[in-house]
């Protein structure tokens, strides 16, 4: 399973803007950089086996809709 | 439930809806929406629910008039698109004449990007986590003052003070003796019925913080956020940010830092006073339930009810044609109660695993202080419940609210 963290146009629009909810609710999958943005923004996270539920929780709590399941 | 499931077919309010609203509220909330009117204070949640349900895009005739959107999807559409919905026209409808703009809140990229890039590190989760011990100590110092009395007025004795202390001590370095003056300036600047009085109150905040910034710029640097603001950032044209812009950034940070979190604290404690089972749950397993409770309280007690944007072009929004120059309010308090994204939104449930809300805004202008706010909320609820696990609203008293584009609680008497 893989999840994608959108960077968004102009580094922000419709992408990760640093709410940090993913890391608060599912810190085993999502990590933040020092500025509070998802450290993997603009990229894809390979979800380790067993953490699929956490990964899905991150998808559901992002206020921007920036996290999506990737093919 | 996710974003993808949201319906995109809108049903504007019918003539019958309008008549029903007049009967219920004494006002056509769909075409005469005025956050400063008493009915929006007394029945805010009912009004928000009706707006979300019946009216994707409403038109207010108040002042020079403005649009408002409340559905979660439309609020995101506006908040995430600064090119079409600019923040540079200000967030306040019918803005008082001559009020300086607050940066970075009331500007767009590239200026916004320059400031946020410089400011974000000072408000990131790693830096904020270091304030935990100070904020908890302050929460306990405040509780010490009234715990033996068996009662308190929560807003003036704790909820209205702690965010200011946290922000002044950890971030600004302003003397806390001056907190009252600044809180008063910010509050009158927000809620005073007279627009000229709002402008004057903000004028005081600008002059106080302007002097403080000047003084700090002449002192040896402390390596904090104020130093960074005083030093300024470089704009896209290669020029340094004007001094007035730097003062406006400091005002904006202060405004956000002291005027908002109080309401979530008071709202959460009030609800917990009346829900002993939830209190027990939070005391028995704070690790699991406290983060969920905080998100739920931010959702249902929205300190920022609505903020505005200005259309930079003719644009269609939720089936309505908006014109260049039109003002649009994003009703965050409504978007967080949208049944299209939140199951049973009227119910307060601190066990919700997924709390999707718009309390901290959306898009690049999202609240910069959300990490600090969450820490303050956690310290308040945990320390209060640890020391005063059993309490109730003082008999014969009723909480008093104040509502404009921000919502606040004026008084909450609790006893134990």
């Amino acid at each position: 399973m893989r999840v994608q963290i959108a960077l968004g146009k102009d580094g922000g629009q419709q992408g990760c803007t640093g709410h940090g909810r993913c890391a608060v609710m599912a810190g085993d999958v999502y990590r933040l950089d020092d500025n509070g943005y998802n450290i993997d923004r603009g990229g894809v996270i390979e979800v380790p086996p067993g953490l699929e539920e956490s990964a899905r929780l991150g998808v559901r709590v992002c206020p921007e809709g920036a996290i999506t399941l990737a093919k | 439930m996710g974003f993808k499931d949201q319906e995109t077919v809108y049903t504007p309010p019918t003539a019958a809806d309008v008549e029903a609203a007049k009967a219920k509220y004494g006002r056509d909330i769909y075409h005469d929406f005025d956050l400063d009117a008493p009915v929006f204070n007394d029945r805010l949640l009912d009004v928000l629910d009706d707006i979300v349900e019946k009216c994707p895009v409403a038109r207010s005739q108040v002042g020079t008039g403005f649009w408002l959107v409340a559905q979660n999807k439309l609020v995101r559409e506006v908040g995430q698109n600064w090119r079409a919905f600019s923040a540079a026209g200000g967030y306040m409808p019918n803005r008082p004449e001559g009020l300086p703009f607050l940066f970075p809140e009331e500007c767009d990229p590239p200026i916004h990007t320059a400031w946020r890039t410089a400011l974000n590190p000072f408000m990131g989760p790693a830096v904020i986590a270091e304030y935990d011990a100070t904020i908890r100590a302050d929460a306990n110092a405040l509780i010490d003052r009234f715990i033996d009395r068996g009662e308190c007025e929560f807003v003036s004795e704790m909820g209205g003070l702690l965010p200011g202390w946290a922000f002044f001590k950890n971030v600004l370095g302003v003397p806390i003796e001056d907190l009252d003056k600044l809180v008063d300036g910010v509050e009158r600047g927000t809620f005073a019925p007279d627009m000229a009085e709002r402008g004057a109150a903000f004028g005081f905040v600008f002059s106080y913080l302007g002097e403080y910034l000047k003084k700090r710029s002449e002192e040896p640097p402390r390596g904090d956020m104020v130093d960074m603001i005083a030093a300024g950032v470089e704009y896209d044209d290669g020029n340094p940010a004007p001094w007035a812009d730097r003062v406006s950034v400091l005002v904006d940070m202060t405004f956000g830092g002291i005027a908002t979190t109080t309401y979530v604290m008071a709202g959460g404690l009030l609800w917990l006073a009346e829900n002993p089972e939830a209190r027990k749950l939070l005391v028995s397993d704070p690790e699991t339930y406290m983060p969920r409770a905080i998100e739920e309280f931010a959702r249902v007690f929205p300190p920022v009810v609505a903020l505005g944007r200005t259309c930079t072009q003719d644009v269609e929004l939720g089936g309505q044609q908006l014109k260049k120059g039109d003002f649009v309010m994003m009703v965050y308090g409504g978007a967080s109660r949208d049944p299209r994204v939140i199951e049973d939104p009227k119910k307060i449930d601190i066990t919700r695993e997924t709390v999707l809300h718009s309390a901290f805004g959306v898009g690049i202008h999202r609240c910069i202080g959300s990490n600090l706010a969450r820490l303050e909320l956690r310290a308040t609820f945990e320390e209060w419940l640890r020391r005063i696990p059993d309490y109730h609203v003082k008999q014969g008293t009723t909480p008093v609210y104040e509502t404009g584009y921000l919502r606040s609680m004026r008084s909450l008497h609790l006893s134990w």
Side-chain angles (χ1 to χ4, degrees):
Chain A
M1 182 183 178
R2 309 165 81 204
V3 286
Q4 189 152 8
I5 318 293
L7 181 61
K9 293 173 203 160
D10 309 300
Q13 196 178 324
Q14 291 169 354
C16 172
T17 57
H19 289 266
R21 302 238 9 235
C22 54
V24 171
M25 300 305 292
D28 43 7
V29 173
Y30 304 99
R31 289 176 309 127
L32 306 179
D33 64 20
D34 288 345
N35 296 333
Y37 292 90
N38 191 303
I39 209 159
D40 296 300
R41 71 179 177 142
V44 165
I45 300 175
E46 296 283 350
V47 180
L51 296 181
E52 289 86 356
E53 236 350 273
S54 281
R56 284 193 196 95
L57 186 57
V59 172
R60 292 201 301 273
V61 298
C62 176
E64 305 285 348
I67 309 177
T68 48
L69 294 176
K71 294 281 173 196
Chain B
M1 215 182 289
F3 291 127
K4 301 281 188 298
D5 310 319
Q6 291 186 49
E7 68 180 64
T8 51
V9 179
Y10 306 116
T11 48
T14 61
D17 290 332
V18 169
E19 285 314 308
K22 283 184 184 166
K24 194 169 166 188
Y25 304 112
R27 192 178 183 106
D28 173 4
I29 59 164
Y30 307 110
H31 304 96
D32 193 19
F33 189 93
D34 179 4
L35 280 166
D36 293 321
V39 67
F40 290 82
N41 187 37
D42 300 339
R43 305 188 61 183
L44 181 70
L45 299 185
D46 291 341
V47 173
L48 293 180
D49 286 333
D50 279 349
I51 294 273
V52 170
E53 192 59 39
K54 303 251 170 63
C55 196
V57 185
R59 175 76 189 171
S60 168
Q61 307 297 338
V62 174
T64 54
F66 53 89
W67 300 96
L68 55 120
V69 293
Q71 287 182 0
N72 193 288
K73 181 175 182 292
L74 296 178
V75 166
R76 277 188 298 121
E77 219 169 293
V78 174
Q80 291 178 334
N81 187 358
W82 59 267
R83 288 182 192 282
F85 303 99
S86 166
Y91 57 76
M92 210 189 295
N94 303 309
R95 189 187 178 81
E97 193 87 21
L99 191 64
F101 286 99
L102 296 181
F103 284 7
E105 191 164 353
E106 299 182 311
C107 67
D108 295 319
I111 293 175
H112 181 270
T113 316
W115 279 113
R116 279 299 286 254
T117 306
L119 288 165
N120 280 339
F122 292 98
M123 296 302 253
V127 174
I128 297 300
E130 291 170 17
Y131 306 153
D132 185 60
T134 321
I135 294 174
R136 279 181 197 273
D138 284 345
N140 279 299
L142 289 168
I143 294 171
D144 284 342
R145 291 180 180 179
F146 54 68
I147 188 164
D148 292 339
R149 206 193 310 150
E151 63 175 275
C152 75
E153 193 290 285
F154 177 76
V155 178
S156 62
E157 297 194 79
M158 186 167 181
L161 298 177
L162 191 65
W165 284 20
F167 197 68
F168 279 30
K169 289 186 184 182
N170 296 299
V171 184
L172 283 190
V174 178
I176 55 171
E177 296 83 66
D178 290 345
L179 178 61
D180 283 353
K181 283 189 285 186
L182 281 178
V183 169
D184 180 64
V186 167
E187 289 191 343
R188 282 190 300 119
T190 304
F191 295 112
D194 177 44
M195 284 293 166
E197 192 187 335
R198 286 190 194 180
F202 262 123
F204 166 76
V205 176
F206 267 89
S207 83
Y208 176 95
L209 290 171
E211 281 167 32
Y212 177 68
L213 194 64
K214 183 84 182 26
K215 183 167 135 298
R216 284 289 309 272
S217 72
E218 291 157 357
E219 290 175 7
R222 305 179 195 175
D224 63 3
M225 182 200 264
V226 180
D227 282 341
M228 188 287 287
I229 295 171
V233 295
E234 188 178 292
Y235 285 171
D236 230 28
D237 58 9
N239 290 316
W243 180 256
D245 290 10
R246 301 180 209 180
V247 175
S248 122
V249 169
L250 188 62
V251 172
D252 195 20
M253 295 299 111
T254 308
F255 185 29
I258 64 182
T260 49
T261 322
T262 304
Y263 179 51
V264 191
M265 290 176 179
L269 268 195
L270 168 58
W271 185 81
L272 287 170
E274 291 159 349
N275 290 272
E277 290 307 312
R279 290 206 301 270
K280 277 185 208 141
L281 200 60
L282 287 176
V283 171
S284 66
D285 187 359
E287 284 312 309
T288 304
Y289 294 108
M290 199 51 92
R292 298 182 189 187
I294 287 168
E295 297 305 324
E296 181 71 345
F297 292 152
R299 179 181 82 79
V300 292
F301 305 114
V304 180
V305 178
L307 291 184
R309 297 284 188 266
T310 305
C311 298
T312 58
Q313 59 197 60
D314 293 357
V315 59
E316 197 195 301
L317 182 65
Q320 280 281 3
Q321 189 61 48
L322 276 55
K323 292 265 178 244
K324 182 177 175 177
D326 281 359
F327 198 79
V328 190
M329 294 293 280
M330 298 175 283
V331 187
Y332 293 135
S336 296
R337 302 177 67 82
D338 186 345
R340 295 159 193 85
V341 293
I342 298 133
E343 230 163 285
D344 203 359
K346 295 178 193 179
K347 185 180 172 195
I348 300 177
D349 178 3
I350 62 159
T351 68
R352 289 179 196 269
E353 190 181 38
T354 308
V355 186
L356 190 63
H357 64 73
S358 307
F360 296 113
V362 288
I364 57 170
H365 290 86
R366 65 103 186 152
C367 172
I368 194 172
S370 57
N371 298 307
L372 180 59
R374 288 186 174 107
L375 191 63
E376 291 170 8
L377 292 167
R378 184 149 189 174
T380 299
F381 295 131
E382 285 187 356
E383 297 308 312
W384 179 284
L385 290 175
R386 184 172 65 78
R387 300 185 65 187
I388 312 174
D390 197 16
Y391 66 100
H392 49 267
V393 175
K394 189 181 172 187
Q395 211 172 5
T397 69
T398 316
V400 177
Y401 296 88
E402 187 153 30
T403 311
Y405 57 91
L406 301 186
R407 183 159 168 88
S408 196
M409 212 186 281
R410 280 279 155 259
S411 68
L412 170 64
H413 292 273
L414 300 172
S415 56
W416 48 91

